[in-house]
């Protein structure tokens, strides 16, 4: 039985931190569940958006490196993030995005799922996908988006690769994903049971240039395991399949292992717990700057270089 159970979070390089907050909290209506810093670059925020409780599998996180050049989509990189929304909600979302000045693409159907594509303010390719699949989700009562329309969490990611075969073998042997469908040159891989948050799409582009990190690009994709034992097992599995994983790194809210798949995209294995409420009240998640214990001694220095963030002023949701 595979150890990995689904997508845990996706981490993206963004531009200006306030613009990022205004969009993901104010427009998409996701809750800011942790306001922290990049633990490897503490002068940069690490902002976590999720559902009302911060469930693993609902998290989209950002490193606001505003001075980086724009990223370039290409092979060896995750190029799109798809978020789950309830059935019959795309019309609402198309209207909401238009009112917010976001130009969305035409509504399409991918692998039988109604889909709306657009980009965030810093160039990240996003899609909203209607799905009725059951998943861990708690509505956020203070969201500007009605509960019946709220983003449910991660649905899928899309990668481009020069060599599909190498990545496909690794996904199967090391991570437990199986190819379940092909459509328009896209190969869909899913973990057992399928469903929202268990899907990865790969397109083979043998002659395309490699993608590069920058503003608007995905930094890494994290996959879920339930606990420490599951992480150790998953680490052994990806290593046996040919990856070179890091040792387990304690991120305080979860534990992490990082590695690259054969095409070069950066992946992570992350534990479901202990979760974001381990160091602040569930009622006040995201309201204050939270540092892991080993950075608390540098708080004054860190706060001095971080830009001030103001929560968006948004009207209350109504059905």
């Amino acid at each position: 039985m595979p150890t990995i159970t689904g997508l845990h979070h996706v981490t993206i390089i963004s531009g200006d931190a306030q613009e990022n907050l205004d969009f993901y909290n104010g427009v998409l209506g996701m809750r800011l569940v942790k306001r922290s810093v990049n633990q490897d670059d503490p002068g940069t925020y690490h902002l976590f958006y999720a559902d009302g409780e911060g469930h693993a599998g609902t998290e989209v996180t950002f490193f606001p490196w505003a001075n980086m050049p724009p990223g370039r989509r290409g092979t060896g990189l995750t190029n799109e993030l798809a978020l789950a929304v309830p059935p019959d909600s795309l019309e609402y979302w198309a209207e909401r995005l238009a009112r917010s000045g976001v130009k969305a693409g035409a509504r399409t159907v991918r692998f039988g799922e109604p889909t709306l594509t657009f980009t965030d303010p810093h160039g990240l390719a996003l899609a909203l996908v209607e799905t009725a699949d059951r998943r861990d989700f708690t509505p956020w009562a203070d969201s500007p988006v009605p509960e019946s329309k709220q983003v449910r969490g991660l649905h899928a990611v899309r990668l481009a690769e020069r060599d599909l075969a190498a990545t496909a073998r690794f996904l199967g042997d090391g991570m437990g994903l199986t190819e379940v469908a092909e459509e328009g040159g896209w190969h869909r891989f899913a973990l057992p049971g399928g469903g929202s948050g268990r899907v990865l799409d790969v397109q083979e582009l043998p002659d395309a240039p490699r993608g590069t990190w920058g503003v608007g690009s995905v930094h890494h994709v994290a996959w879920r395991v339930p606990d420490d034992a599951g992480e150790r097992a998953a680490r052994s599995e990806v290593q046996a399949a040919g990856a070179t994983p890091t040792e387990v790194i304690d991120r305080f809210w979860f534990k992490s292992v990082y590695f690259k798949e054969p095409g070069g995209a950066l992946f992570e294995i992350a534990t479901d717990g202990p979760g974001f409420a381990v160091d602040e009240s569930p009622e006040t998640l995201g309201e204050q700057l939270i540092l892991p214990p080993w950075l608390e001694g540098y708080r004054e220095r860190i706060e001095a270089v971080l830009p001030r963030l103001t929560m968006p002023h948004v009207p209350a949701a109504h059905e």
Side-chain angles (χ1 to χ4, degrees), residues 23-279:
F23 183 76
Y24 284 89
N25 180 263
V27 176
L28 293 191
M30 301 180 74
R31 186 181 184 187
L32 180 66
V33 294
K34 189 64 64 178
R35 184 190 309 222
S36 191
V37 295
N38 182 319
Q39 294 178 18
D40 302 310
D41 179 17
T44 301
Y45 277 116
H46 193 176
L47 303 177
F48 295 75
Y49 304 91
D51 71 347
E53 290 187 20
H55 280 115
T58 70
E59 304 165 26
V60 185
T61 91
F62 293 88
F63 302 146
W65 283 320
N67 293 327
M68 285 189 73
R72 183 182 69 195
R73 298 176 195 173
T75 60
L77 203 68
T78 302
N79 290 311
E80 183 190 272
L81 167 62
L83 300 171
V85 294
D88 302 318
S89 64
L90 287 188
E91 182 175 355
Y92 166 86
W93 278 107
E95 294 174 354
R96 181 173 180 82
L97 292 172
R99 289 197 307 271
S100 301
V102 179
K103 184 178 180 180
R107 277 177 270 181
T108 59
V109 177
R110 295 178 177 175
F111 296 101
E113 299 167 332
T115 301
L116 179 68
T117 60
F118 57 103
T119 59
D120 82 355
H122 300 139
L124 175 70
L126 290 168
L128 297 177
V129 179
E130 289 186 355
T131 173
D133 293 321
R134 295 182 62 183
R135 59 176 305 138
D136 293 334
F137 171 74
T138 300
W140 179 34
D142 294 329
S143 176
V145 175
E147 178 181 332
S148 64
K149 304 294 192 299
Q150 286 179 20
V151 172
R152 267 30 181 182
L154 307 176
H155 181 64
V157 291
R158 292 198 139 190
L159 284 72
E161 302 284 17
R162 288 182 177 173
D163 181 2
L164 173 66
T167 294
R169 282 193 299 272
F170 178 81
L171 293 175
D173 295 344
M175 300 179 64
L177 287 103
T178 303
E179 184 170 352
V180 295
E182 188 275 332
E183 178 182 85
W186 286 97
H187 299 258
R188 170 151 289 192
F189 295 82
L191 289 161
S196 184
R198 296 173 178 262
V199 175
L200 179 151
D201 295 337
V202 183
Q203 182 183 40
E204 185 173 46
L205 299 173
D207 300 319
R210 289 192 63 84
T212 58
W213 276 343
V215 170
S217 67
V218 172
H219 186 270
H220 64 268
V221 174
W223 298 87
R224 296 176 67 174
V225 290
D227 50 30
D228 291 355
E231 181 152 59
R232 290 191 296 270
R235 183 184 184 279
S236 296
E237 289 161 4
V238 299
Q239 188 171 39
T244 306
T246 65
E247 296 299 323
V248 175
I249 301 171
D250 187 355
R251 297 303 193 189
F252 198 66
W253 309 293
F254 46 85
K255 292 180 180 177
S256 301
V257 168
Y258 300 88
F259 60 95
K260 289 186 177 180
E261 54 80 32
L266 183 60
F267 284 175
E268 175 186 351
I269 303 164
T271 57
D272 281 353
F276 295 120
V278 70
D279 56 0

